[in-house]
């Protein structure tokens, strides 16, 4: 086998004019614990404490550095924040007292609202499905996700979907109703109200 | 009269003030204030031209008050005071307004800052108007300096001062000077060995005639003021006479006690007799004694339990026996019948169970008997006096032994045919075989005690006849032989016995027939003795009936349990009402009891009979064992009146009675008590008798140390259960009076003795005393408290390491081979626990080592500051590991702070070494790989952006330097403040790093902030310079801002006298007015605030001045 | 000093030289910000602050008075701060009788290293007193009270 270029994002020269950290930092300041990101001294304890950092494309520490450098698009398209398991080790151990877990939540919210990100779209679709039916419905989820992002992907998912049907992991009809479906919807409304403009 | 002429000077301070405060507005404003003759502004008032402005105006404009509006007076008040002085104006006629730190720097908007500046200037002008000229006082100073702390900072300061010809006291808490630096192996960047560069300074200090070294000493209190401090120092007892100790170490070789060595950072043990480290100065040993062990403190006779356990564990049985006999002559008896309060208090129970101290004593006794050893008789020069001891129970025999040891002729009178008292006639043989008692009596006879048996006081001789016979003193030890009766009908029925008469008859071989059913009434040991005896006499149903519950039973638990095993039944909460039977006992009528909530004289709940609950129990024999009282029948009425009040003998603390030359001891004085208390009482009375016959006053109370009660570090002890005393089989033993306890074998006894925790560290076993040829050991030494007068104090108390146990992510204390920096220094040091070899705990050489920076520093979770030295230390460690092993080294750092002279060059040299890997990332976790057993360090290699898990055999943590644990107390003693990080606060962080807020007290070294050795030495020398600057002129200027009494207003209420913390105010009794001692007064002003008439004023801060300032700040 | 829209309270702060005054300097060195309403008067020890000073401050137009001392145990003159505390407790009751609200008179322990605390206290107190409003009529009442006439013209009560 020939050795070729890896698939990771390779950054070459970064022109200073393309980077302005202030707007992104301001955006994050609206979230709890987004106020002291600039204190990060890049020690790497967060990465080394995180149980999932080896799965992420960018380590948590690198994400913070990218935020500080103003690389908004790259941050929002990375998969780091979607891997966060909320174990809070990073927050507990950070020597600068940065609440990284909260920063990850903030990044997810921003990504969901503003970025064209597959993971964000998946999360959104999941949430919509649960709101609609009060429970998960796999076929609804997959169809809506595909329609939202890339309809042709439905074809690719076809074989998987058939196997799931065969094993009884998926059904094609509408799901049975739950009691309290209205309460679930109220929960969603309340959260939206609490989030306000955020 | 013309008013004052005030000059106002406004400083721009470059742009520091001028960029916020509108200088022209303020200048105009000040010019318009009343009495202001001149108002100027200038860029830098503190500069030479600025000061010239003031001087010129004083001259040319005849100014007599100056106001400077600039930075904080804490910055430049001295500068402007000097400017006035050199300009010809009294320096106290100058007032400052702080418009920088407290105005321009803290106010966001210019308008507000300008308004505030105006107010502050107005305030200063008003006060200036009311200022008066004052003269500094000069006070002579004591030229001696005290340096507190014998680490490298303190040593440097002391040497510099001493070499300049001045006297120094160097006070060090530990037994030797040297501090933390003495623990290091090599120092960076030169890799000089720490001991090589430190010890010459230590020796120089030890030998310098101008330095008085006080080690093992701590400062307790400081009073006085600059140039005139009074310091109270506690010199802790070393238990070694320093002037005699040659440092030979023979004491440590024989000391049986091991404890954790703090100098070796917990990685080795040392003895209780020890030298702090090999190159200690002073080069002497000391003994670590924290008090008496719990067992010794609990023993009524003061037998040194811990001491003989330590000796037994080492196989030194002769010495152990001799130690016991200092307080307990009868080893065989004691080890069989004592209720051992020592074991109840034994601190081994904090781990598992108490040590079988009594059982070990039993082994010693058995060993002595088995080997036919005759203990050496105690030697005492004959005094020519003779003493009569009446009664040969434990108290009498003990008194006889000690009286003989003190050189007196002793004759013991005993009414029975054979001596021994209750030892022979009450304690059953299965507890105390007769031959054991006889052996002790033989020994007494061999020593020279004369016994006259069959002689009863009152019948065969009297106190008067003894006096006539020529005895110089009499000791009454006749016990408490009169038994308490039940006082119920039928008690005189045949078959009802009292305990002592029952047991006495059995001991004489005349046991009464007991029949089948025996009821013993009572709850003490006598009751149990009677019950177990009854079992052996063949009774099938033996029961003990006690009126309270099991919890209140006074008998020893061992005895109760042994009785139960032998089939004795126990009934609680029942009292006899009547004995049933005519001509002979057939049973007893009982009533059930309840325990009431109130408590009787003995502190136990009172039993109250439940009406209507009577019931009968059948029995053939009843033994009443409810207590004894003293029998005074042997004395004539006059003697009885002198001796006793009612049934209690009146005797003083030493056993002295109202009858001259007559002393009393044992149960006769105390009422029924234990064997050991009787022996103790006999010994105490013997000492009093000894003093009396020699015509001396009663002896001094004997030296007792309190038990050591502080928490012990029990983490090094594994649970090991107490050895159980081997006993005869229960089934067989009740058929005879053979001794039940068999005693420990040698291996068991030594193992049991080795369970001792050495709770007070040194146990005073006496081995060191015997080993020291210089006779330097003195266990009776006490702490000495001295008051020293000094003029200046340098505080150089050093640092301690952050304890990484605080963070479980580092694995310290959980995994072996995770070390702190100082622990690694000890490992690497050639005089350390491994002689300098770098080994894991299991003895292998490591193949990979990780070194972590910033453990507990640069971390808001612990300490925010950078500890300054850890980067260089880590690089040094990496180098040392490579020098001594073939291990790979991984140095995990966030930044590399190698800032000092030749530091970067050192880093570059080590970075180039083979197999040293510097990884830029903070070590986050140390884990253990369960498969390989290796330690695993997780770190992000941030320069590569990847997570790394590195398997290593050893992890070295570099913990932060932190303030010492007692730094809060030390700060308060010396009047030093602490900065936010907890280190001592310097007067100015850039310009005055050795001065503190308290004049005359200086700081040096790591107690002020983390630093390396070069900086520490520099600060030490600097502090010496500060002290000498203060003291060499011979006198010091004292502030005149002190209290003053305006006599016409003083009403003599003396409230101010009560308020002054320095006792600087007193009452002039003749004039009934308060008087201020201006040398003692520090100018706090509390007296003035208290004075109801306004008579007391404080110069420069008096009421009128402050009130005018208030008007000023509110004016704008 | 009252502004047109917002009332600007005047706060007189008596700070002890060794601790709280040093803390105020430290706040300045760190460029922390607090309102210019807080005017500092230096005394050597908080124990110097006589009850009369506090009343005088209110009398002269202060809307709030702050006294800063060393933490208990750390007083440079050993016990001055304890006496200040005792006086505060009595002053609280006296001021209450004058109808002066409790929040207008505050005692704080501020060590020489606590610049942040000084700034925080200054900010908080300014806001609190601002909400309480000017002393106003209370001040007039005070002015009429003879016993409180503490002017600087010599005489028995001055000095």
């Amino acid at each position: 086998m020939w050795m070729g270029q890896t698939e990771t994002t390779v950054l070459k020269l970064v022109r200073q004019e393309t980077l302005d950290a202030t707007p992104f930092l301001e955006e994050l300041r609206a979230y709890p614990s987004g106020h002291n990101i600039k204190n990060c001294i890049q020690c790497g304890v967060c990465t080394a404490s995180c149980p999932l950092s080896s799965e992420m494309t960018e380590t948590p520490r690198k994400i913070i550095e990218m935020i500080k450098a103003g690389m908004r698009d790259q941050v929002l398209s990375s998969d780091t924040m979607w891997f966060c398991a909320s174990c809070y080790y990073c927050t507990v151990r950070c020597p600068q007292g940065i609440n990284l877990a909260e920063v990850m939540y903030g990044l997810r919210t921003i990504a969901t609202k503003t970025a064209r990100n597959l993971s964000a779209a998946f999360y959104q679709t999941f949430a919509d499905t649960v709101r609609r039916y009060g429970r998960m419905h796999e076929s609804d989820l997959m169809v809506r996700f595909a329609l939202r992002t890339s309809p042709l992907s439905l074809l690719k998912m076809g074989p998987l979907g058939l196997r799931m049907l065969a094993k009884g992991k998926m059904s094609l009809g509408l799901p049975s109703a739950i009691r309290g479906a209205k309460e679930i919807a109220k929960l969603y409304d309340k959260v939206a109200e609490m989030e306000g403009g955020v | 009269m013309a008013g004052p002429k005030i000059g106002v000077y406004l400083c721009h301070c470059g742009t520091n003030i001028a960029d916020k405060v509108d200088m022209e507005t303020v200048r105009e404003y000040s010019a318009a204030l009343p009495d202001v003759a001149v108002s100027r502004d200038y860029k830098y008032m503190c500069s030479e031209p600025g000061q010239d402005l003031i001087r010129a105006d004083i001259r040319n404009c005849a100014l007599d008050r100056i106001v400077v509006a600039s930075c904080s007076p804490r910055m430049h008040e001295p500068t402007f005071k000097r400017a006035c002085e050199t300009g010809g104006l009294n320096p106290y006629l100058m007032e400052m307004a702080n418009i920088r730190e407290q105005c321009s720097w803290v106010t966001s908007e210019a308008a507000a800052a300008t308004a505030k500046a105006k107010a502050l200037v107005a305030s200063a002008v008003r006060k200036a108007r009311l200022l008066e000229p004052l003269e500094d006082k000069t006070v002579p100073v004591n030229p001696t300096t005290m340096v507190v702390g014998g680490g490298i900072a303190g040593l440097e300061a002391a040497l510099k001062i001493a070499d300049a010809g001045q006297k120094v006291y160097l006070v060090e808490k530990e037994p030797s000077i040297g501090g933390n630096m003495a623990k290091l192996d090599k120092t960076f960047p030169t890799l000089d060995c720490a001991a090589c560069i430190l010890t010459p300074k230590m020796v120089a200090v030890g030998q310098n005639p101008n330095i008085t070294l006080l080690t093992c000493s701590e400062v307790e209190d400081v009073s006085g003021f600059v140039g005139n401090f009074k310091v109270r120092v506690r010199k802790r007892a070393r238990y070694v006479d320093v002037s005699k100790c040659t440092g030979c170490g023979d004491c440590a070789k024989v000391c049986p006690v091991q404890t954790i060595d703090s100098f070796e950072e917990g990685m080795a043990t040392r003895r209780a007799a020890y030298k702090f480290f090999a190159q200690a100065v002073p080069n002497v040993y000391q003994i670590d004694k924290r008090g008496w062990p719990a067992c010794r403190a609990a023993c009524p006779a003061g037998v040194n339990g811990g001491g003989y356990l330590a000796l037994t564990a080492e196989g030194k049985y002769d010495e152990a026996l001799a130690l016991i006999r200092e307080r307990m002559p009868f080893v065989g008896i004691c080890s069989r019948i004592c209720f051992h309060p020592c074991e109840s208090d034994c601190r081994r129970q904090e781990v598992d169970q108490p040590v079988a101290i009594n059982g070990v004593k039993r082994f010693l006794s058995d060993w002595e008997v088995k080997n036919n050893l005759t203990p050496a008789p105690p030697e005492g020069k004959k005094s020519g006096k003779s003493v009569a001891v009446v009664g040969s129970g434990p108290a009498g025999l003990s008194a006889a032994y000690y009286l003989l040891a003190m050189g007196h002729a002793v004759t013991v009178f005993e009414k029975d045919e054979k001596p021994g008292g209750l030892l022979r006639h009450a304690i059953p043989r299965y507890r105390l075989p007769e031959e054991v008692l006889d052996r002790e009596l033989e020994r007494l006879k061999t020593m020279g005690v004369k016994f006259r048996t069959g002689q009863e006081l009152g019948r065969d001789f009297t106190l008067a006849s003894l006096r006539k016979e020529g005895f110089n003193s009499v000791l009454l030890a006749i016990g408490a032989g009169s038994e308490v009766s039940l006082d119920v009908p039928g008690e005189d029925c045949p078959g009802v016995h009292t305990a002592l008469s029952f047991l006495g008859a059995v001991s004489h071989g005349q046991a009464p027939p007991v029949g089948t059913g025996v009821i013993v009434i009572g709850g003490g040991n006598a009751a149990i003795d009677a019950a177990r005896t009854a079992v052996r006499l063949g009774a099938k149903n033996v029961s003990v009936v006690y009126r309270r519950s099991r919890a209140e039973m006074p008998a020893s638990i061992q005895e109760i349990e042994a009785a139960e095993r032998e089939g004795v039944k126990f009934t609680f909460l029942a009292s006899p009402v009547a004995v049933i039977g005519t001509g002979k006992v057939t049973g007893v009528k009982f009533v059930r009891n309840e325990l009431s909530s109130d408590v009787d004289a003995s502190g136990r709940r009172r039993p109250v009979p439940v009406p209507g609950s009577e019931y009968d129990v059948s029995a053939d024999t009843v033994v009443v064992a409810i207590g004894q009282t003293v029998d005074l029948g042997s004395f004539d009425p006059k003697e009885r009146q002198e001796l006793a009040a009612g049934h209690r003998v009146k005797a003083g603390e030493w056993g002295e009675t109202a009858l001259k030359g007559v002393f009393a001891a044992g149960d006769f004085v105390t009422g029924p008590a234990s064997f050991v208390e009787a022996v103790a009482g006999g010994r105490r009375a013997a000492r009093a008798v000894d003093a009396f016959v020699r015509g001396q006053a009663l002896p001094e109370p004997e030296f007792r140390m309190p038990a050591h009660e502080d928490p012990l570090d029990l983490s090094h002890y594994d649970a090991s259960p107490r050895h159980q005393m081997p006993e005869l089989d229960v089934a067989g033993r009740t058929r005879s009076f053979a001794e039940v306890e068999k005693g420990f074998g040698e291996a068991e006894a030594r193992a049991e003795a080795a369970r001792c925790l050495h709770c007070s560290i040194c146990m005073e076993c006496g081995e060191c005393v015997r080993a020291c040829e210089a006779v330097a050991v003195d266990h009776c030494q006490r702490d000495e408290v001295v008051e020293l007068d000094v003029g200046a104090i340098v505080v150089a108390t050093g640092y301690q390491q952050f304890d990484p146990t605080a963070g479980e992510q580092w694995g310290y204390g959980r995994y072996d081979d995770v070390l702190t920096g100082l622990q690694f220094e000890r490992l690497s040091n050639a005089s350390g626990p491994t002689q300098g070899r770098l080994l894991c705990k299991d003895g292998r050489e490591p193949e990979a080592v990780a070194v972590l920076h910033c453990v507990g520093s640069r971390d808001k979770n612990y300490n925010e500051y950078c500890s300054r030295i850890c980067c260089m230390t880590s690089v040094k460690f990496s180098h040392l590991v490579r020098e001594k092993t073939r291990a790979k080294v991984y140095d995990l750092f966030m930044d590399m702070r190698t800032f000092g002279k030749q530091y970067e060059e050192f880093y570059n040299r080590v970075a180039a070494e083979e197999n040293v890997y510097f990884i830029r990332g903070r070590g986050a976790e140390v884990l253990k790989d369960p498969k390989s057993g290796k330690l695993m360090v997780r770190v992000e290699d941030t320069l590569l952006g990847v997570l790394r898990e590195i398997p290593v055999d050893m992890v070295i943590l570099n913990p932060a330097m932190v303030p010492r644990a007692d730094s809060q107390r030390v700060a308060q003693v010396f009047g030093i403040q602490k900065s936010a990080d907890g280190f001592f606060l310097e007067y100015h962080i850039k310009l005055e790093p050795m001065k503190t807020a308290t004049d005359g007290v200086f700081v040096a070294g790591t107690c002020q902030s983390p630093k390396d050795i070069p900086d520490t030495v520099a600060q030490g020398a600097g502090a010496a310079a500060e002290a000498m600057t203060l003291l060499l002129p011979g006198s010091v200027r004292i502030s005149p801002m002190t209290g003053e009494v305006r006599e016409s207003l003083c009403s003599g209420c003396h409230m101010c006298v009560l308020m002054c913390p320095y006792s600087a105010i007193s009452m002039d009794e003749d004039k009934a007015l308060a008087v201020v001692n201006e040398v003692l007064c520090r100018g706090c002003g509390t007296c003035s605030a208290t004075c109801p008439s306004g008579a007391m004023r404080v110069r420069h801060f008096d009421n009128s001045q402050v009130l005018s300032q208030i008007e000023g700040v509110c004016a704008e | 000093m009252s502004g047109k829209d917002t009332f600007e309270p005047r706060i007189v702060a008596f700070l002890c030289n060794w601790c709280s005054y040093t803390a105020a300097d430290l706040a300045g060195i760190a460029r922390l910000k607090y309102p210019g309403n807080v005017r500092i008067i230096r005394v050597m020890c908080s124990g110097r602050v006589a009850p009369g000073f506090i009343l005088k401050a209110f009398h002269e137009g202060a809307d709030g008075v702050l006294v800063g001392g060393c933490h208990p145990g750390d007083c440079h003159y050993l016990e001055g701060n304890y006496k200040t505390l005792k006086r505060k407790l009595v002053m609280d009751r006296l001021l209450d009788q004058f109808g002066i609200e409790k929040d207008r008179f505050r005692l704080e322990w501020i060590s020489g290293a606590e610049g942040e605390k000084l700034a925080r206290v200054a900010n908080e107190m300014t806001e609190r007193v601002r909400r309480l409003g000017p002393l106003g009529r209370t001040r007039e009442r005070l002015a009429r009270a003879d016993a409180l006439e503490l002017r600087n013209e010599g005489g028995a009560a001055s000095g």
Side-chain angles (χ1 to χ4, degrees), chain A residues 42-43 47 59 61 93 95, chain B residues 860 894 920 922 925 940:
Chain A
Q42 292 288 295
C43 68
T47 303
T59 59
R61 172 208 51 89
R93 290 194 184 156
Chain B
K860 287 188 177 147
M894 290 208 290
R920 201 245 160 224
R922 188 171 184 156
E925 279 184 316
E940 182 184 3

Side-chain angles (χ1 to χ4, degrees), chain B residues 427-499:
Chain B
I427 313 256
R429 301 283 178 262
Y430 59 83
R431 284 177 70 201
L432 179 62
E434 213 168 0
E435 60 265 28
V436 175
L437 173 61
D438 286 333
R439 201 175 294 126
E440 297 286 8
L441 292 167
E442 256 326 293
R443 187 178 168 227
L444 283 174
K445 286 186 192 134
T446 319
M447 274 169 61
V449 175
K450 307 249 179 306
F451 285 90
R452 290 193 210 167
T453 54
Q455 298 280 298
E456 186 175 343
L457 177 64
R459 183 191 72 191
D460 306 302
F461 64 95
T462 61
L463 291 180
S465 71
L466 289 177
R467 221 170 272 127
K468 219 151 68 161
E469 203 182 322
F471 287 105
N472 300 102
S473 173
V474 177
L475 175 60
L476 299 170
I478 58 177
S482 179
E483 299 201 80
V484 178
S485 65
L486 278 175
D487 231 3
V488 298
E491 197 172 356
D492 49 2
C493 194
V496 177
H497 309 274
T498 55

Side-chain angles (χ1 to χ4, degrees), chain B residues 213-228:
Chain B
L213 189 55
L214 295 107
T215 52
C216 273
S217 302
E218 273 184 86
V219 173
E220 287 194 331
D221 186 67
V222 175
S223 59
F225 56 99
V226 56
N228 300 275

Side-chain angles (χ1 to χ4, degrees), chain B residues 871-885:
Chain B
C871 284
M872 278 303 287
T873 310
S874 301
V875 174
K876 175 182 83 173
F877 287 164
S878 305
H879 171 79
L880 287 173
V881 171
R882 288 300 306 159
E883 201 180 65
K884 297 188 175 199
T885 69

Side-chain angles (χ1 to χ4, degrees), chain B residues 932-994:
Chain B
S932 67
K934 272 186 172 329
L935 294 169
M936 190 78 78
V937 182
R938 293 190 76 194
V939 62
E940 182 184 3
D941 184 334
T942 61
L943 295 174
L944 293 177
V946 293
L947 175 68
R948 288 172 77 155
E949 289 184 346
I950 309 175
V952 295
D953 301 298
M954 183 186 282
V955 174
I956 307 172
L957 305 171
N958 268 298
M961 281 183 163
V962 295
R964 293 186 68 100
D966 61 357
S967 61
Q968 179 63 28
R969 186 189 64 85
V970 170
Q972 284 182 343
V973 166
F974 291 99
I976 305 174
Q977 295 157 310
K978 289 171 55 147
S979 47
D981 51 22
F983 289 98
F984 294 152
L985 185 65
E986 62 288 309
Y987 190 72
H988 191 278
I989 198 167
K990 296 192 80 67
L991 296 176
E992 303 278 11
M994 278 85 65

Side-chain angles (χ1 to χ4, degrees), chain B residues 802-823:
Chain B
F802 169 76
D803 183 358
T805 319
E808 48 145 284
Q809 65 268 31
W810 294 305
Y812 181 72
R814 284 198 302 152
Y815 305 126
D816 291 335
D817 303 316
V818 178
L819 308 173
T820 62
L822 281 178
Q823 284 182 321

